[in-house]
Amino acid sequence: MSEVFEWMDEWGPEKIIVVHDTRTGMKGMVVIDNTARGPGKGGCRMDPNMTLLDCFRLARTMTWKWAMADIFLGGAKAGIRNDPKSPYKEEIIRAYVKKIRKFLPDEYVFGNDMGFAEKDGAIALDEAEDMKAAVGTPAELGGLPYDELGITGYGVVEAAECAAPYRSMELNKATVSIQGFGAVGAFTAKFMREKGSKVVAVSSLEGAIYDPQGLDVDRLLTLREKHGDKAVLKYGRGQQIPLGKELELEVDLLVPGATGDVITEKNMKNVKAKMIVEGANFPTTEVAQKYFYEKGILVVPDFVANAGAVMGAGKAMDNRYSCDILEPREVYETVKRKMWKNVAMVLEESKRGKRLPREVALSISQERVRKAMELRGRFPKTKKG
């Protein structure tokens, strides 16, 4: 328990909630990090290995992500420590929502994450009995279907296109390696292909494939619909490479789009990409980011590059009580406009001030949160014990 108090700093977290249901075996958590700019909003991750530290780190990332996107919501994250493939998934989700219902939606609003999709958001919405308790639900319930639109992946590709000139690169001529072929990675591959990029490698939990001549992205996407993570094994072309090697290929652009802490001091010197656009949350460590900066490898940080979903969610929340179904075109346009503005702002200041892009982005987010906290009387002028 003492380590929880060590996480607490001037930014948060404000609340850490842990719940358990003995009948279903549900074990869950919510971390509400900072609500100075609005109620806590973040995805709910369902993973049997989810830890409270994971939840806190993700909630803090959401604090910076909302602020960087300049959307008036606060950082939060939810986690259910159960198997998302369980035949009792609905019962587990309902048990979880019952336990945290008093925090919905004034302090926390559901979103999607690994193991928690639109249909799960619909269940949460039903159990909460409040239409404002979740976004990322089916369009028929007024939500934004992230998985269908691939909004995070779309934002990653727009971030890459905006950043490419800073490395004298043209995205339509770039070779790309993508770690992860879930909701983020698969749509990153799709939109990269539409931009004219050559996707040469992708990976999933089941394996990784590489073809220097370029992968057939449409074939992989079709296989993903039928076989999920096993799509890379069913592809039958190119060559199988060990998991992790997709991070070390000689490509123009690398997109780590799966889990965190995959590029560290142990493997950072093996990375040969000219540019890294972080599709996952915190995929590169602080040491690795400094190393890449010194080597001239441009890193577009996670809470800038993968903020497409939060930009879309902000649009969906604005539209919650509209009589019209939110048009995908509106969402894509919003994401593109905001992404280009934010990436350019961060990279221009990074170039001018000779600072890491992550340091620049963090300073922008922190300043926005700080001002909100000061206006609300939440930020201490002097530290107290």
Side-chain angles (χ1 to χ4, degrees), residues 118-333:
E118 281 91 8
K119 61 181 181 180
D120 304 314
I123 293 168
L125 201 68
D126 182 64
E127 193 63 43
E129 298 182 335
D130 190 325
M131 289 294 287
K132 293 195 291 183
V135 296
T137 56
E140 292 81 359
L141 292 176
L144 182 67
Y146 300 116
D147 293 346
E148 289 181 28
L149 301 180
I151 298 170
T152 302
Y154 177 80
V156 167
V157 175
E158 290 300 323
E161 187 168 36
C162 181
Y166 290 86
R167 284 297 285 116
S168 301
M169 186 189 304
E170 295 178 54
L171 196 63
N172 63 351
K173 298 177 182 178
T175 55
V176 185
S177 178
I178 303 170
Q179 184 188 51
F181 205 58
V184 176
F187 279 97
T188 296
K190 175 182 182 294
F191 291 119
M192 283 289 182
R193 188 258 300 152
E194 291 180 4
K195 294 284 187 181
S197 304
K198 184 189 293 184
V199 178
V200 299
V202 299
S203 69
S204 73
L205 291 172
E206 298 291 333
I209 50 174
Y210 170 61
D211 187 341
Q213 301 305 312
L215 299 170
D216 185 340
V217 172
D218 289 337
R219 174 177 166 79
L220 277 167
L221 291 172
T222 299
L223 289 169
R224 179 178 176 267
E225 291 181 7
K226 297 179 181 178
H227 305 288
D229 285 339
K230 294 185 184 296
V232 296
L233 302 180
K234 301 286 186 180
Y235 182 66
R237 304 176 190 174
Q239 64 183 91
Q240 296 286 326
I241 58 175
L243 274 174
K245 289 298 180 182
E246 72 276 17
L247 298 169
E248 302 174 1
L249 296 171
E250 195 161 339
V251 293
D252 296 312
L253 173 62
L254 172 63
V255 180
T259 60
D261 301 317
V262 295
I263 303 176
T264 68
E265 52 269 36
K266 293 181 180 179
N267 64 345
M268 63 188 185
K269 294 182 179 180
N270 298 330
V271 175
K272 304 177 186 68
K274 297 175 184 176
M275 184 168 76
I276 300 170
V277 178
E278 296 187 323
N281 289 316
F282 43 81
T284 60
T285 63
E286 183 177 347
V287 172
Q289 294 224 2
K290 289 180 179 178
Y291 171 79
F292 292 140
Y293 182 75
E294 292 169 359
K295 293 296 181 180
I297 298 173
L298 176 60
V299 180
V300 184
D302 53 359
F303 63 92
V304 178
N306 67 22
V310 308
M311 295 169 181
K315 184 78 173 173
M317 291 182 76
D318 288 343
N319 199 66
R320 171 62 73 185
Y321 291 112
S322 171
C323 295
D324 300 322
I325 293 177
L326 192 60
E327 291 292 334
R329 175 184 53 79
E330 297 177 59
V331 179
Y332 289 136
E333 287 175 356

Side-chain angles (χ1 to χ4, degrees), residues 6 19 75 107 152 164 207 264 267-268 291 301 333 339 353 371 381-382:
E6 292 174 5
V19 294
E107 296 185 71
T152 302
T264 68
N267 64 345
M268 63 188 185
Y291 171 79
E333 287 175 356
M339 191 62 71
K371 285 183 177 178
K381 293 183 178 179
T382 58

Side-chain angles (χ1 to χ4, degrees), residues 356-371:
L356 271 68
R358 186 176 189 85
E359 290 177 356
V360 172
L362 191 58
S363 66
I364 293 170
S365 293
Q366 287 182 340
E367 181 60 21
R368 289 172 177 173
V369 174
R370 182 188 298 274
K371 285 183 177 178

